[in-house]
């Protein structure tokens, strides 16, 4: 029996419309060496009926189940238990593969293969994310990560490992840290836009949860001195970004040419600052009056 190269795992809960789009994007692939596994969390919106119909239309659906669970990582772990492919790929309901894109991926045994991705934000605003060829370990620890919809993960990286269900958002990031930083697995970047990622999910509507969970994991798994070093690095990077933003504002400002003039002496600069603030306040008063 020919080995299956790819296991596509789809987790769904009451997102029938998104699930239909996801399944359609999978059916349109010319790449055939894959199995599809669907883990549904006992949806009540017609999703189960969609899966049943999909099972009639394809031989690639090797396993599906619909039962209550406790969140996305429980579902992803269930999918891992059923996967037989050399690589695992998590494409959840609402996420869609680009047209015939899987045929462009070289599954050559590299343990972590990551591509680029398009994030679909509310109002159909599209944000294209292009990842670097080289992974900076420090940045990966404190801020960077890869959407799991961009990653093809070698099955061996799940031997004896499952996603941590104590977290709601960052367990896939933890697995990246475990694989790339701790185990020093092989990785490569393929500069292909692989999928449209539904950016309107839990992490988007709860933006503070991810940083808090990441900080919790770092505190619990790093020595205090290493944790402090990382936080200092993050502060330096944040300050640099703010400086770049200020420089960008300065370069694009109509006041750019007069700033050197009013900065001639410290006393004059102070007076000009007070005058500009006064003019700004007066302008706000008149703007509010016009709005009424």
């Amino acid at each position: 029996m020919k080995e299956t190269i790819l296991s596509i795992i789809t987790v769904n809960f009451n997102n029938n419309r998104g699930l239909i789009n996801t399944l359609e994007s999978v059916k349109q692939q010319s790449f055939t060496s894959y199995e599809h596994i669907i883990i549904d969390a006992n949806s009540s919106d017609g999703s189960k009926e969609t899966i049943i119909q999909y099972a009639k239309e394809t031989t690639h659906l090797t396993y599906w189940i619909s039962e209550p669970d406790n969140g996305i990582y429980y579902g992803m772990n269930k999918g891992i238990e059923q996967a037989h492919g050399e690589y695992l790929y998590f494409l959840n309901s609402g996420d869609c593969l680009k047209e015939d894109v899987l045929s462009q991926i070289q599954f050559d045994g590299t343990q972590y293969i990551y591509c680029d991705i398009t994030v679909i934000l509310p109002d159909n605003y599209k944000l294209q994310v292009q990842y670097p060829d080289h992974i900076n370990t420090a940045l990966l620890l404190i801020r960077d990560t890869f959407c799991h919809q961009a990653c093809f993960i070698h099955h061996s990286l799940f031997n004896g490992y499952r996603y941590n269900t104590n977290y709601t958002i960052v367990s896939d990031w933890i697995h990246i840290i475990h694989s790339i930083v701790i185990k020093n697995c092989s990785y490569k970047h393929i500069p292909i836009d692989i999928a449209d990622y539904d950016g309107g999910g839990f992490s988007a509507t709860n933006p503070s949860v991810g940083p808090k969970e990441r900080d919790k994991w770092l505190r619990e798994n790093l020595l205090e001195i290493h944790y402090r070093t990382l936080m200092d690095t993050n502060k330096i990077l944040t300050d640099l970004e703010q400086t770049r933003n200020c420089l960008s504002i300065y370069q694009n400002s109509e006041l750019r040419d007069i700033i050197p003039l009013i900065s001639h002496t410290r006393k004059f600069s102070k007076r000009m600052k007070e005058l500009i603030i006064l003019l700004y306040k007066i302008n706000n008063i008149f703007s509010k009056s016009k709005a009424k």
Side-chain angles (χ1 to χ4, degrees):
M1 184 176 177
K2 190 176 180 180
E3 183 181 6
T4 301
I5 294 177
L6 184 64
S7 295
I8 301 174
I9 298 171
T10 298
V11 176
N12 175 69
F13 178 61
N14 282 339
N15 185 21
N16 189 34
R17 180 179 295 180
L19 179 62
I20 291 171
N21 293 334
T22 300
L23 301 184
E24 189 61 33
S25 77
V26 174
K27 286 193 296 182
Q28 291 176 356
Q29 304 298 311
S30 64
F31 178 84
T32 58
S33 185
Y34 74 91
E35 63 175 359
H36 200 173
I37 296 163
I38 301 177
I39 309 297
D40 180 73
N42 199 33
S43 296
S44 58
D45 67 341
S47 293
K48 283 184 279 189
E49 290 74 16
T50 294
I51 299 170
I52 292 170
Q53 180 60 37
Y54 179 63
K56 297 175 182 178
E57 299 169 352
T58 179
T59 59
H60 291 286
L61 183 62
T62 57
Y63 180 87
W64 75 274
I65 193 170
S66 182
E67 64 180 12
D69 60 36
N70 293 313
I72 187 171
Y73 291 122
Y74 285 88
M76 292 167 74
N77 285 341
K78 287 180 187 178
I80 295 169
E81 294 291 339
Q82 301 299 325
H84 299 94
E86 182 185 359
Y87 285 87
L88 275 58
Y89 178 60
F90 297 93
L91 186 75
N92 294 333
S93 59
D95 304 326
C96 297
L97 287 166
K98 296 290 188 178
E99 184 176 354
D100 200 22
V101 72
L102 293 180
S103 61
Q104 302 177 53
I105 307 301
Q106 291 183 326
F107 297 101
D108 59 0
T110 303
Q111 292 171 291
Y112 233 101
I113 300 173
Y114 61 97
C115 303
D116 299 328
I117 203 162
T118 297
V119 182
I120 308 298
L121 298 170
D123 298 324
N124 204 36
Y125 178 78
K126 296 182 179 181
L127 175 65
Q128 292 188 319
V129 180
Q130 296 179 323
Y131 293 113
D133 291 334
H134 176 72
I135 295 176
N136 185 308
T137 300
L139 289 178
L140 186 61
L141 280 166
I142 58 180
R143 52 175 59 190
D144 286 350
T145 190
F146 304 106
C147 300
H148 57 73
Q149 296 87 345
C151 301
F152 299 96
I153 308 169
H154 200 273
H155 205 145
S156 62
L157 294 176
F158 288 104
N159 290 343
Y161 187 100
R162 293 296 180 266
Y163 286 116
N164 190 332
T165 55
N166 292 320
Y167 295 92
T168 56
I169 290 179
V170 302
S171 288
D172 42 342
W173 167 78
I174 294 172
H175 182 255
I176 293 173
I177 298 300
H178 184 266
S179 302
I180 295 177
V181 179
I182 297 175
K183 295 185 70 174
N184 195 30
C185 76
S186 58
Y187 68 83
K188 72 174 180 179
H189 171 231
I190 300 178
I192 296 173
D193 194 343
I194 189 73
D196 288 336
Y197 157 49
D198 182 3
F202 181 84
S203 58
T205 54
N206 298 269
S208 64
V209 174
K212 287 180 181 178
E213 288 192 344
R214 190 183 307 206
D215 185 72
K216 177 178 181 294
W217 187 88
L218 289 171
R219 284 180 180 274
E220 293 176 351
N221 289 274
L222 295 182
L223 295 174
E224 179 66 21
I225 187 170
H226 295 156
Y227 173 79
R228 290 298 169 195
T229 301
L230 271 179
M231 293 305 102
D232 290 343
T233 302
N234 190 35
K235 185 179 184 306
I236 291 170
L237 290 172
T238 301
D239 290 344
L240 284 172
E241 287 175 356
Q242 291 177 346
T243 301
R244 287 196 205 100
N245 290 337
C246 289
L247 285 172
S248 178
I249 292 171
Y250 167 74
Q251 290 171 350
N252 295 315
S253 172
E254 293 185 6
L255 300 176
R256 180 184 60 188
D257 295 334
I258 70 168
I259 289 176
L261 297 176
I262 65 177
S263 302
H264 184 63
T265 66
R266 192 170 185 177
K267 188 175 182 180
F268 184 66
S269 296
K270 185 178 179 181
R271 288 177 180 173
M272 289 304 300
K273 179 181 177 181
E274 292 171 351
L275 177 59
I276 290 170
I277 292 173
L278 176 61
L279 291 172
Y280 174 76
K281 290 179 178 179
I282 292 172
N283 181 68
N284 278 349
I285 292 171
F286 279 100
S287 297
K288 289 178 182 178
S289 298
K290 288 181 180 178
K292 293 179 180 179

